[in-house]
Amino acid sequence: MKNHKVHSGWRHKLHEIIYEADTPNGKIFDLTLIFLIVASVILVMLESVDEFDAKYHQTLYVLEWIITIFFTIEYIARIISIKKPLKYIFSFYGIIDLLSTIPLYLSYIFAGSQVLLAVRAFRLLRIFRILKLVKFIGEASQLSRALKASRTKIAVFIYVVLILSVIMGTIMYIIEGDEAGFTSIPRSIYWTIVTLTTVGYGDIAPQTNLGQFMATVIMILGYGIIAVPTGIVTSEINKEYRSGKPKIGDDNYVHVNTQACPSCAAEGHRDNAKYCYNCGHLL
Amino acid sequence: MKNHKVHSGWRHKLHEIIYEADTPNGKIFDLTLIFLIVASVILVMLESVDEFDAKYHQTLYVLEWIITIFFTIEYIARIISIKKPLKYIFSFYGIIDLLSTIPLYLSYIFAGSQVLLAVRAFRLLRIFRILKLVKFIGEASQLSRALKASRTKIAVFIYVVLILSVIMGTIMYIIEGDEAGFTSIPRSIYWTIVTLTTVGYGDIAPQTNLGQFMATVIMILGYGIIAVPTGIVTSEINKEYRSGKPKIGDDNYVHVNTQACPSCAAEGHRDNAKYCYNCGHLL
Amino acid sequence: MKNHKVHSGWRHKLHEIIYEADTPNGKIFDLTLIFLIVASVILVMLESVDEFDAKYHQTLYVLEWIITIFFTIEYIARIISIKKPLKYIFSFYGIIDLLSTIPLYLSYIFAGSQVLLAVRAFRLLRIFRILKLVKFIGEASQLSRALKASRTKIAVFIYVVLILSVIMGTIMYIIEGDEAGFTSIPRSIYWTIVTLTTVGYGDIAPQTNLGQFMATVIMILGYGIIAVPTGIVTSEINKEYRSGKPKIGDDNYVHVNTQACPSCAAEGHRDNAKYCYNCGHLL
Amino acid sequence: MKNHKVHSGWRHKLHEIIYEADTPNGKIFDLTLIFLIVASVILVMLESVDEFDAKYHQTLYVLEWIITIFFTIEYIARIISIKKPLKYIFSFYGIIDLLSTIPLYLSYIFAGSQVLLAVRAFRLLRIFRILKLVKFIGEASQLSRALKASRTKIAVFIYVVLILSVIMGTIMYIIEGDEAGFTSIPRSIYWTIVTLTTVGYGDIAPQTNLGQFMATVIMILGYGIIAVPTGIVTSEINKEYRSGKPKIGDDNYVHVNTQACPSCAAEGHRDNAKYCYNCGHLL
């Protein structure tokens, strides 16, 4: 792969290491990053387990700081090595990357805010890209396209389900009294949704005969209702299959590499591309 | 949009404000209405929360009355400003609108009847129409068409499931005794439906080995059974997609406005319509 | 409808009343039958409710006997009025009809055997036929054809799920001890199926960290597994739709009446049929 | 069926008995094997039931040893009678067969390791092959082909669901405190998956209003999410149906027998095959 030199020196090399995965250094960086992301998520989990935290508090604390400092350096390096840093900063990954570092710094001001580090879990989404899982990305985008197409239908559906839950919840509140756990309408609505979605905790359950009869009606309703989103999504995926969307092996499908535009960070350039398809910058 | 004057004066203006959303006044009225409907539903919920009601009883009471009086005036205005009021009164929305106001008045005669105000939640369905969500209405009608087409099949299915539940419930009543919670056949049937629909509260659960074995059979049955309504609805939605029903962008699809016929309140007239498609009245 | 006289006198008239629904007497008989079947099922249920039985024991007892005697007479009449009684006796409905009467007689020998009267619920299936619900029967047979076609696939599927449950149940039995409710392998398998089918009673729930982790794996597995029967049934219903099976409105669909062959009791003769399609007997 | 003699004498006969099912001896062997596999799985279950084990410990112990010795002999016979034993030893069934025997021997060294005998349940998968259930195998392979094709999509889906569960679990851990059972992030994640998959044990349930609201969001999310794997699998099965894969009755489908290659144990040779399709060895 030929890479036209845009800005010489360390900034360009940094860009190649961080944003691409075709050079040995890039690969090492990416694997380190995946390891640290996974480690950081596990760290946050372990800290919340009391018996574990009591024993290894010091170790966890040190590891937490090491990872945070690495993520901070990575974040700054990402900003420096790109030509249009604002595009990265306000992109989805840019925001996630920032949110993955600041909670620990904030924890000196607001105690306990380090639990917000859980937002790091979103960084796990990077794995798709890092591992050059073009196939996975293709499948994921096929899925998300189908979900996007059924968005409006599912919104209408959820809206109608919510109205139904309000009505049913109020009826159950009237039928069952406080002693069965239906202490207020919002709580009854909570119970209705627990039942409609077939979750059924059992923390609140109808006691009277009429209440149990109504519950039966809601359950059978929920049984039928669950068919609707499934039907919607299935039809969309079906359509997606039948439609002429590019798939691997098709003529109108070209192989893309992991190279990112040094100017706008756009990805998915075809192998022999010379200019960025997004901003026209020389690659 | 040209609007042929039918009955001059305030009644016509009222009709335009209440039934249409294309004039500035109509838009203000609609937004106020949405706000009040949502507010009224939240009010009824909050009243049922004991700790909240204890603190703010007076405020909730006053707000409740303000909204009810607004809804009453709106209801009367709707009747006055339409040429054929009976059509509105006995329409779905007409009945809902009436039921949204009277419970509070009735609460002076029958204590506690104000909880029936929950029927107001149905008014939330108006939001589709008010917000000119033509797209949403299109999707909703596509969904409801598919559901309508699968009505008979789902009825047959539910009927067979109910018969099965009666049989299974009786068998479980014979196997398990009173101590496991299977105190009567209706209660056993309730448990069977809780299990078949995979809700599974756990308030009643089999204790004997034979009972747990039967429960396993019912669960696996339910697992297979849940596939049936999903299959039905999915196939109908699939058919709906393949069929030549008008969709946005099709040639045989015209844009409709929110204008309502001043005579029969029919909606969905095409933009350049001069006469009502339903009663032939001049628009 | 012309009906060739086969055996003159009361036997033929009885046949017409009991097996057909086109004459006024036949209709009265059918409606009485539906009423009594529904009443008999409700009676059995009410008897099992202790507080209800304590109050109205005598009434329930008398009504039970009236219905049983009617059913007995009906059963004998069905045998007498048909030419080949053995065919009826060993048919699905013949066995159900017999089982709907004898438990009460047996209750004099074996106390408590009257609960077996629940088998009467199966008689409810007759409603489809009695009400001439040709449309419902059409839909039902379309459904059952699709289910029949997916029989083998679902059998394979359930078999594999059972093997998986045995494995998973044993693993959970090893991980969790007696104190969490996993007292034996069969009970652990019961819990596994409760979890796999997403019923989730909560009467048994893992307590250890490893057990909860395994439970998570089983749940996500169950989540994916539930897709399989749905996919099978949906595909079959889809195929059913696309295939050239006769549907109402098709040219190769003829209207059938409720007339039954006086010789072999076969049903579904076309309106102008002269001979039974099944045994060639004059209708 | 002609069978070219490859190695004369008892080894060949043994091969015919064990690996094939077309001779009377082969059939007897297969039926005995099925019976013993089922018996061995039931034995392991019964041993774990304390009250049963207390009574019949001696009988169970003896039966366990008889079956284990039979399985050991069978395992050795399988190795001896095949030309390339390594292929069998490292095949899926070879490993299962070994694991089905050794735990009992190991139980003299490591107490309690006999529960690992549950791995025998996997031997039940042999039933498909033993019973010559070509039809079942066809359906099973059709299913597994559809599942294989949707593998990547389901992997992407589960990965995204897990990330979501980590985020949601952490949020619930922050909202709800220790007293509601959300004692650590891993436990909160466990609860989130219990809710998302609509299992809903109820051992942990939100107590605060905000927690119950979040739970409602997760449930409705789970309701929509369950549609995705179903949609994927349904579409794949649909495609499988439409595609030109060989099906029974097709021209490009030939009948295969249960004969196994004496050299490499490959199965599924066509009726008139002379040479193994896999290794070219004379059959």
Side-chain angles (χ1 to χ4, degrees):
Chain A
M1 191 182 56
K2 285 164 201 160
N3 220 20
H4 291 258
K5 301 280 161 188
V6 181
H7 37 211
S8 56
W10 59 273
R11 271 177 73 189
H12 178 68
K13 263 189 195 145
L14 205 61
H15 182 271
E16 219 170 60
I17 291 169
I18 295 177
Y19 285 96
E20 291 169 37
D22 299 310
T23 59
N25 282 334
K27 268 180 194 160
I28 290 166
F29 174 80
D30 283 347
L31 290 175
T32 316
L33 191 59
I34 290 177
F35 175 77
L36 284 175
I37 291 173
V38 172
S40 71
V41 170
I42 292 171
L43 262 183
V44 175
M45 283 189 200
L46 289 180
E47 268 175 73
S48 77
V49 183
D50 287 344
E51 56 262 50
F52 199 91
D53 191 49
K55 271 195 210 155
Y56 306 103
H57 185 75
Q58 208 53 40
T59 322
L60 291 172
Y61 185 78
V62 171
L63 286 172
E64 187 61 79
W65 269 108
I66 290 169
I67 286 172
T68 303
I69 287 163
F70 180 91
F71 282 177
T72 311
I73 293 167
E74 183 216 343
Y75 183 67
I76 293 164
R78 276 185 193 274
I79 292 173
I80 290 172
S81 68
I82 209 164
K83 270 209 164 167
K84 295 179 179 167
L86 287 179
K87 267 205 165 166
Y88 163 69
I89 290 172
F90 293 107
S91 70
F92 175 71
Y93 283 120
I95 291 163
I96 294 296
D97 289 355
L98 181 64
L99 291 177
S100 298
T101 55
I102 45 168
L104 195 59
Y105 298 114
L106 283 179
S107 68
Y108 281 90
I109 308 167
F110 310 104
S113 66
Q114 70 266 33
V115 283
L116 297 172
L117 287 169
V119 84
R120 281 177 184 170
F122 278 121
R123 295 203 85 190
L124 291 169
L125 286 172
R126 265 184 193 271
I127 286 177
F128 287 137
R129 198 179 61 81
I130 289 171
L131 294 177
K132 291 219 261 176
L133 297 170
V134 177
K135 197 183 153 205
F136 280 88
I137 292 174
E139 300 280 16
S141 76
Q142 224 177 331
L143 270 185
S144 68
R145 221 163 28 224
L147 286 175
K148 224 168 182 173
S150 43
R151 215 174 19 179
T152 338
K153 273 207 190 61
I154 286 179
V156 168
F157 167 74
I158 286 176
Y159 187 72
V160 173
V161 166
L162 285 181
I163 291 177
L164 216 75
S165 303
V166 171
I167 310 281
M168 290 294 193
T170 311
I171 292 173
M172 287 304 287
Y173 171 72
I174 298 168
I175 293 174
E176 297 278 331
D178 280 8
E179 67 275 15
F182 295 81
T183 51
S184 68
I185 292 180
R187 194 158 285 235
S188 292
I189 293 170
Y190 162 72
W191 173 86
T192 307
I193 291 173
V194 167
T195 301
L196 257 185
T197 54
T198 77
V199 170
Y201 288 129
D203 52 345
I204 309 172
Q207 303 295 331
T208 66
N209 290 327
L210 187 57
Q212 293 190 342
F213 176 75
M214 276 304 297
T216 306
V217 172
I218 294 173
M219 277 170 230
I220 289 176
L221 216 69
Y223 213 47
I225 280 176
I226 210 168
V228 177
T230 310
I232 295 167
V233 173
T234 305
S235 296
E236 287 298 337
I237 294 177
N238 253 335
K239 245 170 47 181
E240 185 74 24
Y241 275 152
R242 271 196 294 269
S243 76
K245 291 280 158 54
K247 290 196 189 67
I248 295 166
D250 286 8
D251 281 346
N252 53 351
Y253 177 89
V254 292
H255 191 263
V256 295
N257 54 45
T258 59
Q259 190 185 358
C261 173
S263 166
C264 72
E267 287 180 355
H269 301 287
R270 45 193 303 171
D271 278 346
N272 53 355
K274 285 187 182 160
Y275 297 95
C276 174
Y277 66 86
N278 188 34
C279 66
H281 197 283
L282 255 175
L283 291 175
Chain B
M1 191 184 52
K2 285 163 200 162
N3 219 21
H4 291 258
K5 300 279 160 190
V6 181
H7 38 210
S8 56
W10 59 272
R11 269 177 74 190
H12 179 68
K13 261 187 195 145
L14 205 61
H15 183 272
E16 221 171 59
I17 291 168
I18 295 177
Y19 285 96
E20 293 169 35
D22 299 310
T23 59
N25 281 334
K27 268 180 192 158
I28 290 165
F29 173 81
D30 282 347
L31 289 176
T32 316
L33 192 59
I34 290 177
F35 175 78
L36 285 175
I37 291 174
V38 172
S40 72
V41 170
I42 292 170
L43 262 183
V44 175
M45 284 190 199
L46 289 181
E47 268 175 72
S48 76
V49 183
D50 288 343
E51 55 263 49
F52 198 90
D53 192 48
K55 271 196 210 153
Y56 306 103
H57 185 74
Q58 208 54 38
T59 323
L60 291 172
Y61 186 78
V62 170
L63 286 172
E64 187 62 80
W65 268 108
I66 290 169
I67 286 172
T68 303
I69 286 163
F70 180 90
F71 282 177
T72 312
I73 292 167
E74 184 217 343
Y75 182 67
I76 293 164
R78 275 185 193 274
I79 293 173
I80 290 172
S81 68
I82 208 163
K83 269 210 163 166
K84 294 179 179 167
L86 286 179
K87 268 206 163 165
Y88 164 70
I89 290 172
F90 293 107
S91 71
F92 174 70
Y93 283 120
I95 291 163
I96 294 297
D97 289 355
L98 181 63
L99 291 177
S100 298
T101 56
I102 46 169
L104 195 60
Y105 299 114
L106 284 178
S107 68
Y108 282 89
I109 309 167
F110 310 104
S113 66
Q114 69 267 33
V115 284
L116 297 173
L117 287 169
V119 85
R120 280 177 184 168
F122 278 122
R123 295 203 85 190
L124 291 169
L125 286 172
R126 265 184 193 270
I127 287 177
F128 287 137
R129 197 179 59 81
I130 289 171
L131 295 176
K132 291 219 261 177
L133 298 169
V134 177
K135 197 183 154 204
F136 279 88
I137 293 174
E139 299 281 16
S141 76
Q142 223 178 329
L143 270 185
S144 68
R145 226 169 18 231
L147 286 176
K148 224 167 181 174
S150 44
R151 214 174 20 178
T152 338
K153 272 207 191 61
I154 285 179
V156 168
F157 168 74
I158 287 177
Y159 187 73
V160 173
V161 165
L162 285 180
I163 291 178
L164 216 76
S165 302
V166 171
I167 310 281
M168 290 295 192
T170 311
I171 292 172
M172 288 304 287
Y173 171 71
I174 298 168
I175 293 173
E176 297 278 332
D178 281 8
E179 67 275 11
F182 295 81
T183 51
S184 68
I185 292 180
R187 195 159 284 236
S188 291
I189 293 170
Y190 161 72
W191 173 86
T192 308
I193 291 172
V194 167
T195 302
L196 258 184
T197 53
T198 77
V199 170
Y201 287 129
D203 52 346
I204 308 173
Q207 303 293 333
T208 66
N209 289 328
L210 187 57
Q212 293 190 340
F213 176 74
M214 276 304 298
T216 305
V217 172
I218 294 173
M219 276 171 232
I220 288 176
L221 216 69
Y223 212 48
I225 281 175
I226 210 169
V228 177
T230 309
I232 295 167
V233 173
T234 305
S235 296
E236 287 299 337
I237 294 178
N238 253 336
K239 245 170 46 181
E240 185 75 23
Y241 276 152
R242 272 196 293 268
S243 77
K245 291 281 159 52
K247 289 194 189 70
I248 295 167
D250 286 8
D251 281 346
N252 54 351
Y253 178 88
V254 292
H255 191 263
V256 295
N257 54 44
T258 59
Q259 189 184 0
C261 173
S263 167
C264 72
E267 288 180 355
H269 303 286
R270 43 194 302 171
D271 277 347
N272 53 353
K274 285 185 183 164
Y275 297 96
C276 173
Y277 67 85
N278 187 35
C279 67
H281 196 283
L282 254 176
L283 290 175
Chain C
M1 193 181 55
K2 285 164 202 159
N3 219 21
H4 290 258
K5 300 282 160 189
V6 181
H7 36 211
S8 55
W10 59 273
R11 271 178 72 190
H12 178 68
K13 264 188 193 143
L14 206 60
H15 182 272
E16 221 171 59
I17 291 168
I18 294 178
Y19 285 96
E20 292 169 36
D22 299 310
T23 59
N25 282 333
K27 268 180 193 160
I28 290 166
F29 173 80
D30 282 349
L31 289 176
T32 316
L33 192 60
I34 290 177
F35 175 78
L36 284 175
I37 291 173
V38 172
S40 73
V41 170
I42 292 170
L43 263 182
V44 175
M45 284 189 200
L46 289 180
E47 268 175 73
S48 77
V49 183
D50 287 344
E51 56 262 48
F52 198 90
D53 192 49
K55 272 195 209 156
Y56 305 104
H57 185 73
Q58 208 53 39
T59 322
L60 290 172
Y61 186 77
V62 170
L63 286 172
E64 187 62 80
W65 268 108
I66 290 170
I67 285 172
T68 303
I69 287 163
F70 179 91
F71 281 178
T72 312
I73 293 168
E74 183 217 342
Y75 182 68
I76 294 163
R78 276 186 193 273
I79 293 172
I80 290 172
S81 68
I82 208 163
K83 271 208 162 169
K84 294 179 179 166
L86 286 179
K87 267 206 164 165
Y88 163 70
I89 289 171
F90 293 107
S91 71
F92 174 71
Y93 282 121
I95 291 163
I96 294 296
D97 289 355
L98 181 63
L99 291 177
S100 299
T101 57
I102 47 168
L104 195 59
Y105 298 115
L106 284 178
S107 68
Y108 281 92
I109 309 167
F110 310 103
S113 66
Q114 69 266 32
V115 283
L116 297 172
L117 287 169
V119 84
R120 280 177 184 167
F122 278 122
R123 296 203 83 192
L124 291 170
L125 285 172
R126 265 183 193 272
I127 286 177
F128 288 136
R129 198 179 59 80
I130 290 171
L131 294 177
K132 292 218 260 176
L133 298 170
V134 177
K135 197 183 153 204
F136 279 88
I137 292 175
E139 300 280 16
S141 76
Q142 222 178 330
L143 269 185
S144 68
R145 224 168 20 230
L147 286 176
K148 224 168 182 173
S150 43
R151 215 175 19 181
T152 338
K153 271 206 192 63
I154 285 179
V156 168
F157 168 73
I158 286 177
Y159 188 72
V160 173
V161 165
L162 285 180
I163 292 177
L164 215 77
S165 303
V166 171
I167 311 281
M168 289 295 193
T170 311
I171 292 172
M172 288 305 286
Y173 170 72
I174 299 168
I175 293 173
E176 297 278 332
D178 281 9
E179 67 276 13
F182 295 81
T183 52
S184 68
I185 291 180
R187 194 158 286 235
S188 291
I189 293 169
Y190 162 73
W191 173 85
T192 308
I193 291 172
V194 166
T195 301
L196 257 184
T197 54
T198 77
V199 171
Y201 288 129
D203 52 347
I204 308 172
Q207 302 294 332
T208 65
N209 289 328
L210 187 57
Q212 292 190 342
F213 176 75
M214 277 303 297
T216 305
V217 172
I218 294 173
M219 277 171 231
I220 288 176
L221 216 68
Y223 212 48
I225 280 175
I226 211 169
V228 177
T230 310
I232 295 167
V233 173
T234 305
S235 296
E236 287 299 337
I237 294 178
N238 253 336
K239 244 169 50 179
E240 186 74 24
Y241 276 151
R242 271 196 293 269
S243 77
K245 291 281 158 55
K247 288 194 191 69
I248 296 168
D250 286 8
D251 280 347
N252 54 351
Y253 177 88
V254 292
H255 191 262
V256 296
N257 54 45
T258 60
Q259 190 184 359
C261 173
S263 167
C264 71
E267 288 181 354
H269 302 287
R270 44 193 302 170
D271 277 346
N272 53 354
K274 285 185 181 163
Y275 298 95
C276 173
Y277 67 86
N278 187 35
C279 68
H281 197 283
L282 254 174
L283 291 175
Chain D
M1 192 183 53
K2 285 163 201 160
N3 221 20
H4 290 257
K5 302 280 160 188
V6 181
H7 36 210
S8 55
W10 59 273
R11 269 178 74 189
H12 178 69
K13 262 188 195 144
L14 204 62
H15 183 272
E16 220 170 61
I17 291 168
I18 294 177
Y19 286 95
E20 292 169 36
D22 300 310
T23 59
N25 281 335
K27 269 180 192 159
I28 290 165
F29 173 80
D30 282 348
L31 289 176
T32 316
L33 192 59
I34 290 177
F35 175 78
L36 284 175
I37 291 173
V38 172
S40 72
V41 170
I42 292 170
L43 262 182
V44 175
M45 283 189 200
L46 289 180
E47 268 174 73
S48 77
V49 182
D50 288 343
E51 56 262 50
F52 198 90
D53 192 49
K55 271 196 210 154
Y56 306 104
H57 185 74
Q58 208 54 38
T59 323
L60 291 171
Y61 186 77
V62 171
L63 286 172
E64 187 61 79
W65 268 109
I66 291 169
I67 286 173
T68 302
I69 286 162
F70 180 91
F71 282 178
T72 312
I73 293 167
E74 184 217 341
Y75 182 67
I76 294 164
R78 276 186 192 272
I79 292 173
I80 290 172
S81 68
I82 208 163
K83 270 210 162 166
K84 294 180 178 164
L86 287 178
K87 268 208 164 164
Y88 163 71
I89 290 171
F90 293 107
S91 71
F92 174 71
Y93 283 121
I95 292 163
I96 294 296
D97 290 354
L98 181 64
L99 292 177
S100 299
T101 55
I102 46 169
L104 195 60
Y105 299 114
L106 283 179
S107 68
Y108 281 90
I109 309 166
F110 310 104
S113 66
Q114 71 266 32
V115 284
L116 297 172
L117 288 169
V119 84
R120 280 177 185 168
F122 278 122
R123 295 204 84 191
L124 292 169
L125 286 171
R126 266 183 192 271
I127 287 177
F128 288 137
R129 198 179 59 81
I130 290 172
L131 295 177
K132 290 220 262 177
L133 297 170
V134 177
K135 198 183 154 205
F136 279 88
I137 292 175
E139 298 281 16
S141 75
Q142 222 178 330
L143 269 186
S144 67
R145 220 161 31 222
L147 285 176
K148 225 168 181 175
S150 43
R151 215 174 19 180
T152 339
K153 271 207 191 60
I154 286 179
V156 168
F157 168 74
I158 287 176
Y159 187 72
V160 173
V161 165
L162 285 180
I163 291 177
L164 216 75
S165 302
V166 171
I167 310 280
M168 290 294 192
T170 311
I171 293 172
M172 287 304 287
Y173 171 71
I174 298 168
I175 294 173
E176 297 278 331
D178 280 8
E179 68 275 13
F182 295 82
T183 51
S184 67
I185 291 179
R187 195 158 284 235
S188 290
I189 292 170
Y190 162 73
W191 173 86
T192 308
I193 291 172
V194 167
T195 301
L196 257 185
T197 54
T198 77
V199 171
Y201 287 130
D203 52 346
I204 309 172
Q207 303 294 332
T208 64
N209 289 327
L210 187 57
Q212 292 190 341
F213 176 74
M214 276 305 296
T216 305
V217 172
I218 294 173
M219 277 170 230
I220 288 177
L221 216 69
Y223 212 49
I225 280 175
I226 211 169
V228 177
T230 310
I232 295 167
V233 174
T234 305
S235 296
E236 287 299 337
I237 294 178
N238 253 338
K239 244 169 49 178
E240 186 73 23
Y241 276 152
R242 271 196 293 268
S243 78
K245 291 280 158 53
K247 287 193 191 70
I248 294 167
D250 286 9
D251 282 347
N252 54 350
Y253 177 88
V254 292
H255 191 263
V256 296
N257 54 47
T258 60
Q259 191 185 358
C261 173
S263 166
C264 72
E267 288 180 354
H269 303 285
R270 43 193 303 171
D271 278 345
N272 54 353
K274 285 185 182 163
Y275 298 95
C276 173
Y277 66 86
N278 187 34
C279 67
H281 197 282
L282 256 175
L283 290 176

